[in-house]
Amino acid sequence: MRLFNLAALASAALIAAAPAVAQDRDGWPASMTIGTASQGGTYFVYGNGLASFIGEELGINASGEVTGGPVQNATLVQMGDHAVGLVTMGPAYEAWTGVSELAPGLEHSDLRALFPMYMTPFQVIALADSGITSVSDLEGRRVSFGPAGGTSGTYWPRFFETLGISATVSNAGASDAVGQLKDGLIDAFAFAAGVPISAFSQLSAEADVVMFGFTQDELATILEAHPAVSELTIPAGTYTGHDYDQLTGAMWNFAIANASMPESLAYEITKLVMENNDRMLEIHRAASETILENVGNNTFLPFHPGAVRYYEEQGIEIPENLRG
């Protein structure tokens, strides 16, 4: 009788536990899309790698999708078209407050932060024989700003206006822009992405190039006019053969989701990324900044409740105004 009772208790425990497992995945989608950016940029590599990682570990058919970048990603997540989006916090703030260039007047109030990614520096590449060595040298030149609606396509025009620089500008994906530069169709490519930027690395292996950010005077002007930008130095050796530091400005990137994402899924995605930095570094070196210490670099966008639960388990207190 004692053995029977023990067996009955064990069986009851298993039955009781079964719904809990099902509940943990309640509402999870069979597939999900992550908004990235153009091919040749860091978002494309990071987002597709993240999708593969989620697929491997969480059993969801996840895929990255080429987009125009953060501005579009914010709206795609707000509208529920994408489950996860990669955004820089400047465009995210504009979307949050209803002044997005893509959807003016629409407050993206359903956006929720998941985890910090890395800082996106603003960087320029040109052929060495062009004589271009600074942003001010781009006066009157032909310059690509990357995809329209991306971080670079949004902020480089503003920076040029702030610095009083007039140029012939165009928009293209990162891979296309470096191809245009190599073919002499443009004089410089001003971009923004986590370093090393794969398109820059590729071009520097094929041609003699110069890369730079802002001079000290240019940066001081930019920081005063654009408070979402922070000072950053890209260290020497980031790109093979380029043994000089590059002073520039940068913005933080975060992965975001819609508030309707199941709490358990947001929790598991956040936990997966935050507890496997070695695996994230295999995706891209920029993931060296995808760590718990950088959670506080989000100052305005509420975190998803699932992310809040994970961070508080790690002893990170999320301010009340950032609890989604």
Side-chain angles (χ1 to χ4, degrees):
M1 181 64 70
R2 178 177 175 79
L3 289 175
F4 173 81
N5 287 340
L6 288 173
L9 287 171
S11 178
L14 288 173
I15 293 172
V21 174
Q23 180 64 33
D24 284 345
R25 297 181 68 94
D26 186 40
W28 285 29
S31 62
M32 61 185 292
T33 302
I34 298 175
T36 65
S38 63
Q39 295 184 26
T42 305
Y43 269 20
F44 180 79
V45 178
Y46 191 107
N48 279 280
L50 174 62
S52 296
F53 192 23
I54 289 173
E56 294 165 10
E57 298 297 326
L58 301 184
I60 296 176
N61 183 18
S63 61
E65 183 171 301
V66 171
T67 70
V71 176
Q72 186 179 10
N73 291 344
T75 299
L76 288 168
V77 171
Q78 169 67 26
M79 303 305 292
D81 294 323
H82 285 178
V84 174
L86 311 184
V87 299
T88 36
M89 298 310 272
Y93 181 76
E94 293 184 353
W96 178 253
T97 56
V99 294
S100 166
E101 292 185 352
L102 182 61
L106 173 65
E107 293 185 3
H108 290 45
S109 57
D110 292 326
L111 301 185
R112 296 294 183 269
L114 291 177
F115 57 84
M117 294 166 54
Y118 52 82
M119 289 192 83
T120 284
F122 293 91
Q123 191 176 21
V124 183
I125 187 169
L127 298 180
D129 61 9
S130 67
I132 298 170
T133 59
S134 71
V135 174
S136 296
D137 288 341
L138 299 177
E139 173 70 34
R141 300 284 194 151
R142 300 165 299 169
V143 185
S144 174
F145 286 152
T151 301
S152 58
T154 299
Y155 283 90
W156 272 111
R158 300 180 188 181
F159 296 160
F160 271 42
E161 182 178 359
T162 297
L163 296 172
I165 296 171
S166 177
T168 301
V169 302
S170 58
N171 294 101
S175 294
D176 289 340
V178 295
Q180 292 170 12
L181 181 59
K182 187 177 179 181
D183 293 340
L185 300 177
I186 57 175
D187 299 309
F189 176 28
F191 198 45
V195 293
I197 300 170
S198 59
F200 281 27
S201 296
Q202 178 183 344
L203 184 59
S204 65
E206 299 172 349
D208 188 10
V209 300
V210 59
M211 303 181 203
F212 54 87
F214 295 106
T215 65
Q216 192 70 61
D217 288 343
E218 290 169 347
L219 183 59
T221 302
I222 294 298
L223 294 179
E224 182 177 359
H226 304 277
V229 178
S230 301
E231 180 176 328
L232 178 73
T233 297
I234 301 172
T238 298
Y239 295 91
T240 302
H242 291 78
D243 55 353
Y244 51 89
D245 291 342
Q246 299 175 52
L247 178 67
T248 191
M251 286 183 182
W252 270 99
N253 299 270
F254 271 72
I256 61 170
N258 190 283
S260 64
M261 175 180 280
E263 180 178 332
S264 58
L265 177 55
Y267 173 90
E268 293 297 342
I269 291 175
T270 304
K271 179 179 181 180
L272 182 69
V273 172
M274 290 290 97
E275 295 188 356
N276 293 278
N277 191 248
D278 288 347
R279 177 66 172 80
M280 295 300 296
L281 282 169
E282 292 176 6
I283 295 171
H284 199 282
R285 282 166 51 190
S288 62
E289 296 179 306
T290 306
I291 54 178
L292 287 172
E293 288 80 355
N294 289 326
V295 171
N297 287 303
N298 166 31
T299 60
F300 69 89
L301 189 64
F303 283 96
H304 194 287
V308 172
R309 176 158 66 94
Y310 175 74
Y311 292 134
E312 293 193 336
E313 287 178 356
Q314 308 311 307
I316 298 175
E317 184 176 349
I318 303 298
E320 191 61 36
N321 67 311
L322 296 182
R323 301 169 67 91

